[in-house]
Amino acid sequence: MQTILIANANLVNEGSSRPADVFIKNGRIEKISSSLTNQPADTVIDAQGKALLPGMIDCHVHCREPGLEQKADLHSETRAAVAGGVTSIMEMPNTSPAAVTNEILEQKFALAATKCVTNYSFHLGASNHNLGELLAMDPKTVCGVKLFMGASTGNLLVDRFQALEEIFGKVEVPVSVHCEDTNTIRKNEQAAREKFGENIPFSEHPNIRSEEACYQSTALAVELATKHAAQMHVLHLTTARELELFKPGSAESKKITVEACPHHLWFSADDYETKGALIKCNPAIKTAADRAALRKALINNVIDTVGTDHAPHLWEEKQKPYGSAPSGLPVIQSALVSLLEFLPVETVAEKTAHNPARIFKTLGRGFIREGYWADLVLIDTETPHTVSKENIEYKCAWSPFEGTTFKSSIAATLVNGKLACMDGQVNDTVRGQRLLFNR
Ligand code: DOR
Ligand code: ZN
């Protein structure tokens, strides 16, 4: 096994930044010290002027495999992931077939072992009738359960109240929840159709997938999780109003934690005028005031993690009118660099690596510590880059950030001590590992 020395880095970890060298052996971080320059190594990376962070653990990714490989697959999207500094993914169950049994889930794991450049785990999808499967899941080798409390892409809605009670009452792994009230959305959509006919403008999306729809569903989820003392992770929060439902605090101290997504933190509802279907997603992007509140809530520790909700769809599908253009957008490759535009680098490490590791209890990952796996991202904060067709790795070959210049670039990404990406070149012979959980 190759040894690697990362020399002269600005090591960003657990709330502080300091100059350090990191020596990697057998895939793990063997030594961290202020000077390891006498340490022989097969490869030496000069990290002068660059920030070294734990690789992003992205708890919210859609890779579309199996069944929807025309849009994306586990190999293509994990290539994009390492190009963006993501070293582990937790993938979502709205594939085809939907991952609602442990048998289907294990088939996804088997595919991932041959295809994923990152480390990986897969959420088991909750349905109205699969409690037995959820309870049979192995908490040490599967990340958690995904629960759609609002209809979105796919047909994984849980709308039977008794099923919700049982899920929150009995499941012991983290339950990641999509909150949007489907009845409210249907009513709003109907009203928009009466007003606009079949030509609903994309700018109506935040009025249809409204603040009220989010609030109602999120309030119910918080009520149920609190009642049952369940561990719940609320996905993609979009409104200032919903923030009132959560308390600030460290991720370890909370049973209910909250995620924000790069696109809700970057765009605002005004952007629907120009970007249209490209930023149509569920929940919708809300107002600039909501975006400001989300950014503040990351600093105040009301929001605990950033997950990407990377959700690729084909360019041709996104050319359709409002009613038929699918929701979701590819973001994983630009997520980390976009966060660095408005968050301190220590906060970025906290929200993208430490807190995901704490919430899901990933074994040996999420921190730069001796003995931990060398899942690392080296960021050049002084070299800007512009997102363009030439550097997009997604199978769908487009990005909502095309034309955007970010101040930073990903210099290198290491997965289990292997260089999975260097200077924009992905080494796609690298294969990640199945994530394990300390539960
Ligand atoms: O915008 C979205 N896209 N929201 C979801 O809940 C699902 C996702 C997808 O899978 O396309
Ligand atoms: Zn999602």
Side-chain angles (χ1 to χ4, degrees):
M1 184 83 188
Q2 280 241 319
T3 53
I4 300 179
L5 178 66
I6 302 176
N8 311 313
N10 178 34
L11 188 144
V12 180
N13 189 51
E14 296 178 73
S16 66
S17 302
R18 64 187 165 99
D21 297 346
V22 175
F23 180 64
I24 297 160
K25 192 176 169 188
N26 294 330
R28 293 188 187 254
I29 297 165
E30 169 116 338
K31 229 182 282 175
I32 305 169
S33 168
S34 55
S35 180
L36 292 172
T37 35
N38 294 329
Q39 174 77 53
D42 300 321
T43 305
V44 178
I45 299 172
D46 182 11
Q48 186 70 49
K50 300 190 177 87
L52 185 68
L53 278 70
M56 180 168 181
I57 300 175
D58 188 350
C59 313
H60 189 169
V61 185
H62 301 264
C63 288
R64 309 299 188 206
E65 191 172 0
L68 302 161
E69 293 89 347
Q70 73 280 13
K71 295 178 196 267
D73 63 61
L74 287 163
H75 188 62
S76 61
E77 305 318 284
T78 54
R79 281 183 56 104
V82 294
V86 175
T87 52
S88 295
I89 61 160
M90 300 185 198
E91 209 262 355
M92 289 301 173
N94 58 339
T95 43
S96 183
V100 290
T101 68
N102 287 287
E103 192 184 344
I104 298 172
L105 206 66
E106 287 306 321
Q107 288 163 5
K108 290 180 81 165
F109 277 109
L111 272 175
T114 66
K115 301 186 81 169
C116 279
V117 185
T118 58
N119 305 309
Y120 49 85
S121 194
F122 295 91
H123 289 85
L124 187 57
S127 76
N128 273 322
H129 303 285
N130 75 340
L131 185 67
E133 291 288 342
L134 303 183
L135 299 181
M137 170 232 265
D138 178 5
K140 292 191 187 301
T141 61
V142 181
C143 56
V145 165
K146 168 71 182 282
L147 169 62
F148 282 92
M149 281 178 67
S152 191
T153 309
N155 52 6
L156 274 175
L157 178 65
V158 177
D159 54 4
R160 217 166 50 85
F161 192 73
Q162 188 58 29
L164 291 174
E165 287 271 12
E166 285 173 353
I167 292 164
F168 284 116
K170 295 187 175 155
V171 171
E172 288 181 353
V173 293
V175 181
S176 293
V177 189
H178 180 128
C179 295
E180 281 186 294
D181 184 64
T182 302
N183 281 336
T184 307
I185 293 166
R186 286 210 182 108
K187 276 186 214 141
N188 292 341
E189 202 164 5
Q190 186 54 33
R193 219 171 259 123
E194 277 159 24
K195 188 165 170 199
F196 298 102
E198 286 313 304
N199 290 323
I200 300 174
F202 284 96
S203 54
E204 281 302 302
H205 194 50
N207 301 328
I208 294 169
R209 297 231 164 212
S210 63
E211 175 196 78
E212 181 63 24
C214 292
Y215 187 84
Q216 279 193 21
S217 180
T218 303
L220 174 62
V222 169
E223 186 188 320
L224 289 172
T226 305
K227 174 177 160 190
H228 293 287
Q231 192 188 342
M232 176 172 74
H233 189 48
V234 179
L235 300 173
H236 42 44
L237 210 82
T238 55
T239 67
R241 194 173 157 213
E242 288 164 283
L243 289 168
E244 294 162 11
L245 297 163
F246 304 98
K247 295 184 189 73
S250 70
E252 278 130 328
S253 68
K254 297 183 200 171
K255 288 223 98 168
I256 298 176
T257 49
V258 185
E259 173 197 81
C261 298
H263 40 294
H264 299 124
L265 292 162
W266 185 263
F267 298 108
S268 80
D270 301 335
D271 294 315
Y272 281 109
E273 292 282 346
T274 51
K275 298 247 173 206
L278 299 187
I279 57 167
K280 184 188 182 204
C281 55
N282 304 337
I285 293 160
K286 307 296 195 304
T287 67
D290 288 310
R291 176 181 61 191
L294 296 176
R295 289 183 178 189
K296 195 168 156 205
L298 281 164
I299 301 286
N300 294 345
N301 292 323
V302 174
I303 296 179
D304 306 284
T305 69
V306 174
T308 64
D309 199 4
H310 175 71
H313 292 287
L314 296 177
W315 177 256
E316 302 84 76
E317 296 171 313
K318 287 290 198 178
Q319 305 314 302
K320 294 180 179 174
Y322 177 78
S324 38
S327 288
L329 54 163
V331 284
I332 201 166
Q333 196 179 338
S334 300
L336 263 185
V337 289
S338 78
L339 297 177
L340 288 168
E341 299 287 316
F342 57 87
L343 286 178
V345 67
E346 294 83 4
T347 310
V348 172
E350 183 93 358
K351 305 295 171 181
T352 60
H354 305 333
N355 281 349
R358 289 174 178 134
I359 291 166
F360 288 87
K361 300 194 165 59
T362 53
L363 203 61
R365 306 186 190 278
F367 300 88
I368 305 182
R369 291 178 183 162
E370 290 177 0
Y372 272 53
W373 288 105
D375 289 347
L376 300 167
V377 55
L378 192 60
I379 303 178
D380 185 340
T381 50
E382 313 275 283
T383 303
H385 79 283
T386 303
V387 179
S388 75
K389 293 270 182 243
E390 284 68 50
N391 50 36
I392 290 169
E393 296 285 349
Y394 313 132
K395 195 181 210 176
C396 66
W398 65 274
S399 163
F401 295 110
E402 265 168 75
T404 304
T405 300
F406 294 112
K407 287 194 208 105
S408 310
S409 302
I410 303 299
T413 306
L414 288 91
V415 178
N416 306 310
K418 293 189 201 117
L419 266 170
C421 186
M422 181 94 181
D423 299 328
Q425 293 303 306
V426 175
N427 175 0
D428 63 9
T429 63
V430 170
R431 290 294 174 271
Q433 298 179 8
R434 183 170 181 160
L435 294 174
L436 298 174
F437 303 93
N438 191 10
R439 301 171 176 148

